Amino acid sequence: MANNNNNSNNNGKMSREEAGRMGGNATSRNHDKEFYQDIGEKGGEATSSSHDKEFYQDIGEKGGEATSRSHDKEFYQDIGEKGGEATSSSHDKEFYQDIGEKGGEATSRSHDKEFYQEIGRKGGNRNSGS
């Protein structure tokens, strides 16, 4: 007979699941928000010291894939709008000029003259109503 790890099959002993739940509940009653922030910070520091950039890229990619499976276009539009509003409320004109300049420099390094001619043509056609 299989052991289901519940009280009736453990000779009156508590299952690991139940012990964990009770321990977690006791811990949450005895500690405040700062306790959890502190252990979270320590865990984050330990993780960052033992993992490289590729580890974080991999878990980020997995999280992004999982999120994209469970959310629709409107979700991304909504969070993009909220992020844009938060950014615009905390940054000034110079911030946007700086990131625009950096983006322009990065684009110019990775694209040639034909790229700019093509986007110029597309912009011209759009503005002329074609």
Side-chain angles (χ1 to χ4, degrees):
M1 182 158 105
N3 184 351
N4 292 331
N5 283 339
N6 63 28
N7 289 340
S8 63
N9 290 335
N10 269 341
N11 298 324
K13 294 181 183 177
M14 187 181 305
S15 71
R16 243 187 264 193
E17 180 182 336
E18 184 62 19
R21 183 176 17 264
M22 290 179 70
N25 289 338
T27 302
S28 71
R29 285 191 303 273
N30 295 324
H31 296 285
D32 58 7
K33 179 180 177 181
E34 289 75 25
F35 168 80
Y36 288 101
Q37 289 173 331
D38 187 44
I39 63 171
E41 185 176 336
K42 289 176 182 174
E45 290 169 358
T47 301
S48 71
S49 68
S50 61
H51 292 84
D52 59 7
K53 179 181 174 182
E54 288 75 26
F55 168 79
Y56 289 101
Q57 289 172 328
D58 187 44
I59 63 172
E61 186 176 333
K62 289 176 182 176
E65 290 170 357
T67 301
S68 71
R69 284 192 301 273
S70 61
H71 293 82
D72 60 8
K73 180 180 176 182
E74 288 74 25
F75 167 79
Y76 288 100
Q77 289 172 331
D78 194 36
I79 64 170
E81 185 175 331
K82 289 176 182 175
E85 290 170 357
T87 301
S88 70
S89 68
S90 62
H91 293 84
D92 59 8
K93 180 180 175 182
E94 288 75 25
F95 168 80
Y96 289 100
Q97 289 171 333
D98 188 41
I99 63 171
E101 184 177 336
K102 289 176 182 175
E105 290 169 356
T107 302
S108 71
R109 285 192 300 274
S110 60
H111 293 84
D112 59 9
K113 181 179 177 181
E114 288 77 24
F115 168 79
Y116 289 100
Q117 289 172 333
E118 178 64 22
I119 63 171
R121 233 183 335 275
K122 288 179 180 177
N125 289 340
R126 176 175 250 178
N127 291 334
S128 68
S130 301

